[in-house]
Structures are given as C-alpha cells and as structure tokens.
Amino acid sequence: MKLRYYPDTDSAYIEISQQPGSETCQVLDGVNIDLTADGKLIGIEIECASQRLDADAIETGLRQGRPT
C-alpha cells in the first residue's frame, strides 16, 4: 500500500493494488474509489487532502516504520 500526496492539486492517493482500474465511484464529496472490473478496491483518491487528513498521524506512521 502506498500513500502519495500531490501538493499542486492538494490531493492524496492511497494505492491498494497495482491492478488495472475499470471503474471510479464517488463515495463522498471529494472521495473516490477505484475498482477492478470484478469490484476489488485498488485505490482511494482524496481531494482537499490537507483539510481531510491528519499530516501528523501520517508522519508518525512513517517514523515508526509502518508502511503508508
């Protein structure tokens, strides 16, 4: 699993799997999920990420060696 932050768009993407995506569904305003053709979750896109994510918690996870 990988977490990427894109400051130019203030968005974050959590990559669950590298399988090809087939469908994107909006689950909340500004939160979309990417799915494979058979409905498996492969990623989560978060818009306005600086307002929705706790940057300190992410940093703490990295320092403790947990993958993001």
Side-chain angles (χ1 to χ4, degrees), residues 4-51:
R4 293 189 177 96
Y5 177 68
Y6 302 95
D8 55 323
T9 59
D10 189 25
S11 62
Y13 191 77
I14 302 168
E15 181 183 329
I16 310 285
S17 169
Q18 293 183 347
Q19 294 179 1
S22 175
E23 181 179 3
T24 300
C25 299
Q26 182 175 352
V27 293
L28 296 169
D29 185 34
V31 179
N32 302 306
I33 58 171
D34 292 330
L35 304 169
T36 63
D38 60 349
K40 292 181 182 172
L41 178 65
I42 57 170
I44 304 166
E45 176 189 24
I46 304 166
E47 299 171 4
C48 302
S50 63
Q51 298 170 17

Side-chain angles (χ1 to χ4, degrees), residues 55-66:
D56 291 335
I58 293 168
E59 184 66 22
T60 300
L62 290 172
R63 276 194 298 244
Q64 293 177 356
R66 287 180 282 182

